[in-house]
């Protein structure tokens, strides 16, 4: 199993450009999330999904869109990049919490710089 | 909403010294998870605590969950250079589908 994969690993954008950060998992996990990590801020939840076709907002969703057409993929779209979106982005997936056990598996991250 | 606070923000120890990080939640938690992130890496799950007053050990690491399920701690005995990294606690949010992370404690161990 590859686990959680993210592409690209690094990206530089200019203000106003759009792009999609890719995330895929091969563990058949229902739940997937996007977090951003900024120095001294920990990880903050952007969007999450509880299954194909179902997404919801986290704590910092502004400027980001998501969709979940398949169980495996959960892309994150920046519609018009801003310097405030310079960050490291992590995708994570987890098992169903029905058994009250939902360890999150993280991808390697995408380091995004917006100029 | 739920806030998770961690202290200290940074800790610098000599190899062989002990280390403790503390986590406090503004709300009662159904469970708490701990993650470790090495420099330049991604968070990796360490453990989940569920029961009030629970104590779990992983070799030199001891995890505790408070009686009121609002606080937790991670204690490392006799630190090693391999313990370097940032340790995060996290509580479940959005019906447990995602996590609310503390800001983490960065541990530096010098030989």
């Amino acid at each position: 199993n590859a686990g959680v994969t993210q592409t690209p690993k690094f990206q530089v954008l200019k203000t106003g450009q759009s792009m999609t950060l890719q995330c895929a998992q091969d563990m058949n996990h229902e739940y997937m999330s996007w977090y951003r990590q900024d120095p001294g801020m920990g990880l903050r939840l952007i969007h999450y999904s509880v299954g194909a076709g179902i997404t919801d907002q986290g704590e910092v969703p502004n400027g980001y869109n998501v969709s979940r057409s398949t169980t495996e993929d959960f892309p994150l779209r920046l519609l018009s990049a801003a310097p405030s979106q310079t960050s490291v982005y992590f995708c994570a997936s987890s098992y169903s919490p029905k058994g009250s056990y939902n360890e999150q598996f993280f991808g390697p991250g995408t380091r995004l710089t917006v100029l | 909403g739920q806030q998770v606070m961690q202290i200290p923000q940074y800790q610098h120890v000599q190899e062989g010294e002990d280390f403790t990080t503390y986590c406090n939640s503004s709300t009662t938690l159904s469970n708490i998870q701990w993650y470790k992130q090495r420099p330049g890496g991604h968070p990796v799950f360490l453990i989940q605590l569920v029961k009030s007053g629970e104590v779990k050990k992983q070799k030199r690491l001891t995890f505790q969950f408070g009686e009121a399920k609002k606080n937790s701690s991670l204690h490392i005995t006799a630190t090693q250079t391999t313990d370097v990294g940032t340790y995060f606690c996290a509580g479940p949010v959005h019906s447990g589908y995602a996590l609310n992370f503390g800001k983490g404690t960065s541990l530096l161990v010098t030989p």
Side-chain angles (χ1 to χ4, degrees), chain A residues 31-33 35 37 40-43 45 48 50 57-59 90 94 97 100-109 111, chain B residues 9-10 31 33 35 37 40-45 48 50 86 88 92-104:
Chain A
Y31 306 130
M32 297 186 73
S33 305
Y35 298 87
Q37 185 174 34
M41 296 296 293
L43 292 102
L45 181 66
Y48 66 98
V50 302
Q57 295 181 352
E59 278 59 62
F90 289 102
S94 62
S100 71
Y101 180 79
N102 62 332
E103 167 190 355
Q104 300 236 338
F105 294 82
F106 283 82
R111 284 150 180 79
Chain B
Q9 187 176 4
Y10 303 99
N31 66 78
Q33 298 183 16
Y35 290 78
Q37 184 178 25
H42 59 277
V44 175
F45 176 82
Q48 178 175 265
V50 178
T86 301
F88 294 97
V93 288
H94 301 289
S95 302
Y97 301 137
L99 293 172
N100 181 28
F101 283 82
K103 294 183 179 181

Side-chain angles (χ1 to χ4, degrees), chain A residues 9-91:
Chain A
K9 292 185 178 179
F10 301 93
Q11 183 71 50
V12 178
L13 292 177
K14 294 181 179 179
T15 297
Q17 287 185 318
S18 62
M19 79 159 295
T20 300
L21 280 63
Q22 301 291 344
C23 174
Q25 53 91 9
D26 62 358
M27 297 175 282
N28 202 32
H29 288 174
E30 292 184 42
Y31 306 130
M32 297 186 73
S33 305
W34 276 102
Y35 298 87
R36 60 176 289 174
Q37 185 174 34
D38 303 294
M41 296 296 293
L43 292 102
R44 293 183 291 170
L45 181 66
I46 305 172
H47 286 285
Y48 66 98
S49 169
V50 302
I54 307 171
T55 64
D56 209 342
Q57 295 181 352
E59 278 59 62
V60 289
N62 293 340
Y64 308 95
N65 279 354
V66 292
S67 60
R68 184 106 177 261
S69 57
T70 68
T71 300
E72 295 77 20
D73 300 300
F74 190 40
L76 179 72
R77 297 185 189 83
L78 283 70
L79 300 178
S80 179
S84 60
Q85 294 179 303
T86 293
S87 189
V88 180
Y89 291 86
F90 289 102
C91 178

